[in-house]
Short mmCIF file of all heavy atoms in Angstrom, two decimals:
data_model
loop_
_atom_site.label_atom_id
_atom_site.label_comp_id
_atom_site.label_asym_id
_atom_site.label_seq_id
_atom_site.Cartn_x
_atom_site.Cartn_y
_atom_site.Cartn_z
N GLY U 344 82.88 98.75 179.96
CA GLY U 344 84.15 98.38 179.47
C GLY U 344 84.19 97.85 178.14
O GLY U 344 83.02 97.65 177.54
N GLU U 345 85.16 97.74 177.47
CA GLU U 345 85.17 97.18 176.01
C GLU U 345 85.55 95.68 175.82
O GLU U 345 85.46 95.21 174.77
CB GLU U 345 86.14 98.14 175.24
CG GLU U 345 85.99 99.60 175.16
CD GLU U 345 86.75 100.32 176.28
OE1 GLU U 345 87.15 99.60 177.17
OE2 GLU U 345 86.75 101.45 176.11
N VAL U 346 86.17 95.15 176.90
CA VAL U 346 86.80 93.90 176.65
C VAL U 346 85.88 92.81 176.51
O VAL U 346 86.08 92.02 175.59
CB VAL U 346 87.81 93.67 177.85
CG1 VAL U 346 88.30 92.32 177.72
CG2 VAL U 346 88.88 94.70 177.91
N THR U 347 84.84 92.59 177.36
CA THR U 347 83.88 91.45 177.08
C THR U 347 83.22 91.64 175.82
O THR U 347 83.02 90.54 175.05
CB THR U 347 82.82 91.29 178.38
OG1 THR U 347 83.62 91.30 179.49
CG2 THR U 347 81.95 90.14 178.13
N PRO U 348 82.74 92.79 175.32
CA PRO U 348 82.27 92.94 173.94
C PRO U 348 83.23 92.57 172.98
O PRO U 348 82.91 91.91 171.89
CB PRO U 348 81.88 94.35 173.83
CG PRO U 348 81.55 94.76 175.16
CD PRO U 348 82.45 93.97 176.07
N LEU U 349 84.55 92.85 173.17
CA LEU U 349 85.62 92.33 172.28
C LEU U 349 85.76 90.87 172.29
O LEU U 349 86.10 90.26 171.28
CB LEU U 349 86.88 93.15 172.70
CG LEU U 349 87.00 94.51 172.29
CD1 LEU U 349 88.23 95.14 172.85
CD2 LEU U 349 86.99 94.83 170.72
N PHE U 350 85.61 90.29 173.48
CA PHE U 350 85.52 88.82 173.45
C PHE U 350 84.41 88.30 172.61
O PHE U 350 84.64 87.24 171.80
CB PHE U 350 85.39 88.36 174.90
CG PHE U 350 86.52 88.47 175.80
CD1 PHE U 350 86.31 88.49 177.23
CD2 PHE U 350 87.65 88.81 175.45
CE1 PHE U 350 87.41 88.67 178.10
CE2 PHE U 350 88.81 89.05 176.20
CZ PHE U 350 88.60 89.02 177.55
N PHE U 351 83.33 88.84 172.74
CA PHE U 351 82.17 88.46 171.95
C PHE U 351 82.48 88.57 170.49
O PHE U 351 82.24 87.75 169.59
CB PHE U 351 80.83 89.20 172.30
CG PHE U 351 79.60 88.81 171.67
CD1 PHE U 351 78.51 88.17 172.33
CD2 PHE U 351 79.41 89.12 170.28
CE1 PHE U 351 77.30 87.77 171.72
CE2 PHE U 351 78.17 88.63 169.66
CZ PHE U 351 77.28 88.06 170.42
N ILE U 352 82.89 89.79 170.12
CA ILE U 352 83.19 90.04 168.62
C ILE U 352 84.30 89.14 168.13
O ILE U 352 84.13 88.61 166.95
CB ILE U 352 83.65 91.53 168.50
CG1 ILE U 352 82.55 92.55 168.80
CG2 ILE U 352 84.23 91.80 167.15
CD1 ILE U 352 82.96 93.90 169.09
N GLY U 353 85.28 88.92 168.89
CA GLY U 353 86.40 88.02 168.50
C GLY U 353 85.91 86.55 168.30
O GLY U 353 86.20 85.91 167.28
N ALA U 354 85.14 86.06 169.37
CA ALA U 354 84.69 84.66 169.23
C ALA U 354 83.77 84.54 168.04
O ALA U 354 83.76 83.49 167.36
CB ALA U 354 84.03 84.35 170.51
N ALA U 355 82.78 85.56 167.88
CA ALA U 355 81.99 85.41 166.73
C ALA U 355 82.86 85.55 165.32
O ALA U 355 82.38 84.80 164.43
CB ALA U 355 80.98 86.66 166.75
N LEU U 356 83.72 86.38 165.32
CA LEU U 356 84.41 86.46 164.04
C LEU U 356 85.33 85.25 163.87
O LEU U 356 85.35 84.70 162.70
CB LEU U 356 85.42 87.67 164.16
CG LEU U 356 86.22 88.01 162.89
CD1 LEU U 356 85.44 88.21 161.65
CD2 LEU U 356 87.02 89.26 163.06
N GLY U 357 85.93 84.72 164.88
CA GLY U 357 86.58 83.42 164.65
C GLY U 357 85.78 82.28 164.23
O GLY U 357 86.18 81.46 163.43
N ASN U 358 84.51 82.27 164.75
CA ASN U 358 83.54 81.30 164.44
C ASN U 358 83.17 81.54 162.93
O ASN U 358 83.15 80.43 162.10
CB ASN U 358 82.16 81.53 165.28
CG ASN U 358 81.12 80.62 164.81
OD1 ASN U 358 80.46 80.93 163.63
ND2 ASN U 358 80.75 79.65 165.57
#
Side-chain angles (χ1 to χ4, degrees):
E345 301 92 347
V346 175
T347 305
L349 286 170
F350 290 164
F351 185 110
I352 293 166
L356 182 56
N358 174 286

